[in-house]
Amino acid sequence: MAAPRTNGGNADHEPRRAATTGLVVAALGIVLFNISPLLNWVNPGGDADPRTGYETDSVVPFIAYLGLGLLVALLYANKPARRGQHRGLTLVTMAVGIAAAIQCLAFAINPMGGLERGDGLATDIGVWVGLVGGAVWAVGAFLLAKDVEGDDRVDTYQQGASATR
């Protein structure tokens, strides 16, 4: 007589959950990136005032707010998700973190926001805080993404492999 089939493997077995380390690191990076638009991003030199990330480029605060939205979604998905993460959301969060870091790196190499006026712009502290925040954000999302995913077949394969030993 065959045992009744259950969804997701053994009902008595609690599946592994993703460690929250990656989520915490990503959250730290997102918060750090959200501080960067408040700081000076470019300094035109001379008697001109430095410009914050908000004044320099509207993409800077947009990416910061997108990160906050992704963080809220990750926190929400952490609770109901069977394994503590939603794989697609985690990978999107990592991709946006990488894009945020690359945008800051490109900005550090060639500052935007004053080229059409002939300003000789120099990067300021906000760019570097954003770069570090974006990198930490991407690394945290990577740490979460490399952890267990929501694929029930992983437990089934592991149980089958241990049964054959």
Side-chain angles (χ1 to χ4, degrees), residues 56-152:
T56 304
D57 191 352
S58 62
V59 175
V60 174
F62 173 76
I63 291 178
Y65 299 149
L66 180 60
L68 288 176
L70 288 169
L71 179 58
V72 168
L74 282 173
L75 291 170
Y76 174 76
N78 186 43
K79 297 296 179 194
R82 185 160 184 260
R83 295 176 183 260
Q85 73 158 303
H86 184 280
R87 185 70 162 186
L89 178 61
T90 304
L91 292 173
V92 166
T93 303
M94 183 174 70
V96 175
I98 291 168
I102 290 172
Q103 183 214 9
C104 291
L105 182 61
F107 203 99
I109 293 169
N110 189 8
M112 299 161 260
L115 297 177
E116 66 277 358
R117 292 186 298 272
D119 292 347
L121 298 178
T123 57
D124 215 332
I125 187 72
V127 175
W128 305 110
V129 170
L131 178 63
V132 170
V136 169
W137 168 0
V139 167
F142 169 76
L143 291 173
L144 185 59
K146 77 176 188 83
D147 214 338
V148 295
E149 60 181 279
D151 187 1
D152 289 333

